[in-house]
Amino acid sequence: MELFKTIILMSILMIMFMFAGAALGGEQGMIIAFVVALGMNFFSYFFSDKIVLKRYRAVKVDENNAKGLLDIVKTLCLNANIPVPAVYIIPERVPNAFATGRNPNNAAVAVTEGLLEILNKDEIEGVIAHELSHVRHYDILTGTIAAVIAGTIAMLANFAKFGAMSGNARQNKNNAVLLLIAAVVMPLAASIIQMAISREREFKADKGAALMTGKPQHLASALSKLENYSKNYAMHQANEQTAHMFIINPFGSVKQTLSALFRTHPKTSDRIAALNEIQKQLREY
């Protein structure tokens, strides 16, 4: 299923490039755009995780400087029977976390310094289990590529606006109209992509974490703290293209960049309620 989603995302990227190329350069422009899109897809598949980690200045850690965090990751991976991912710490005071990579054998989990400061060991375990659930269910590739695609779409939208206002575009009204449509539709498409892949997968990852640890209340407690913190602070490095990757909206209540219709994350209260329901079910067993 995740492979299918990834193919769809890559196809959308290619179609948008070809559309922009055709509007700007006709048949020749479409061919050039097709070749560029193929290269972008290849690059995104193998290097999109590195792009995102570099974007947030994530620093890889080992047992010499983050033994406690690595012990949590290794224990959970052993219980879940998955390879131990690379672990990174993001130099950011606002608490948050995400997973990236193209498969469990090439995965990374990143947490901010702020998360390690405000959460206790059990809550950190719940967050890590959530991210490992993303890894285990192979949806990290989809999320990471979506971040690259969203950034590319934003770039194309700006390019389309420039093309629509250029002298050549004014001489060809049809192209100008197409470019203006692209400038409006592309950012909307990016929002829809992020919304479609993020909401459902967050609920699934929460459930996966609850079953992995057997203690859904720990993740629920962590989400509550992260939500409360986000009411007053937003991540300084966050951008709209990668927002869907984080365990909680990095903009929080400080910056509502999308309407509720295009929210990239489910309501935290709904996630906590779902975790509490899982807790009740586990007690019954």
Side-chain angles (χ1 to χ4, degrees):
M1 184 62 183
E2 292 306 319
L3 178 60
F4 176 74
K5 289 181 181 179
T6 301
I7 293 173
I8 293 297
L9 287 171
M10 288 183 168
S11 298
I12 291 173
L13 172 62
M14 184 173 293
I15 291 170
M16 287 187 169
F17 259 103
M18 292 176 67
F19 178 82
L24 289 170
E27 183 177 349
Q28 184 177 4
M30 180 181 289
I31 293 173
I32 294 174
F34 176 75
V35 174
V36 172
L38 284 178
M40 285 287 295
N41 284 336
F42 176 84
F43 186 82
S44 296
Y45 181 82
F46 287 102
F47 302 106
S48 56
D49 56 334
K50 296 178 178 61
I51 294 173
V52 175
L53 289 167
K54 186 175 181 179
R55 167 71 181 78
Y56 288 100
R57 297 186 289 124
V59 178
K60 189 175 182 180
V61 297
D62 54 34
E63 292 185 355
N64 293 324
N65 48 24
K67 186 178 186 304
L69 177 61
L70 285 175
D71 285 344
I72 292 174
V73 175
K74 289 179 179 179
T75 299
L76 289 171
C77 288
L78 181 63
N79 295 337
N81 193 30
I82 59 175
V84 178
V87 179
Y88 290 78
I89 293 180
I90 301 170
E92 166 74 57
R93 296 303 301 273
V94 178
N96 222 318
F98 68 83
T100 184
R102 61 181 184 272
N103 56 49
N105 290 316
N106 296 276
V109 172
V111 300
T112 66
E113 292 177 344
L115 182 139
L116 298 177
E117 290 177 1
I118 75 165
L119 300 187
N120 61 40
K121 181 178 180 297
D122 290 336
E123 292 165 342
I124 293 173
E125 181 182 75
V127 170
I128 296 297
H130 171 97
E131 300 305 335
L132 291 178
S133 184
H134 281 313
V135 173
R136 189 179 190 181
H137 295 128
Y138 287 83
D139 61 6
I140 53 174
L141 174 63
T142 308
T144 306
I145 288 183
V148 175
I149 289 178
T152 303
I153 289 173
M155 178 189 71
L156 286 176
N158 291 330
F159 189 56
K161 291 176 185 177
F162 174 80
M165 293 184 293
S166 70
N168 290 335
R170 286 195 297 268
Q171 295 173 10
N172 190 328
K173 293 183 179 180
N174 290 333
N175 280 358
V177 171
L178 289 174
L179 288 170
L180 285 173
I181 292 174
V184 174
V185 172
M186 286 179 181
L188 180 62
S191 297
I192 293 174
I193 289 171
Q194 291 172 297
M195 177 194 69
I197 67 171
S198 183
R199 290 188 183 181
E200 182 182 3
R201 78 188 191 113
E202 290 304 315
F203 279 116
K204 288 183 177 179
D206 287 345
K207 181 178 181 180
L211 298 178
M212 190 183 299
T213 63
K215 300 174 181 177
Q217 70 273 21
H218 292 168
L219 178 56
S221 176
L223 290 175
S224 179
K225 286 186 178 181
L226 297 179
E227 175 69 12
N228 288 334
Y229 199 101
S230 73
K231 291 178 180 178
N232 299 308
Y233 302 97
M235 287 186 66
H236 300 296
Q237 305 173 52
N239 60 23
E240 295 178 8
Q241 288 74 45
T242 57
H244 65 279
M245 296 181 63
F246 288 90
I247 188 171
I248 197 166
N249 187 350
F251 300 126
S253 303
V254 178
K255 182 182 179 184
Q256 293 294 342
T257 56
L258 300 175
S259 68
L261 179 62
F262 297 107
R263 185 194 303 270
T264 58
H265 289 68
K267 290 183 178 179
T268 304
S269 58
D270 291 341
R271 296 171 66 183
I272 292 174
L275 287 166
N276 289 336
E277 184 61 31
I278 295 174
Q279 177 68 22
K280 291 180 181 178
Q281 295 173 1
L282 291 176
R283 285 175 180 171
E284 291 176 359
Y285 288 105

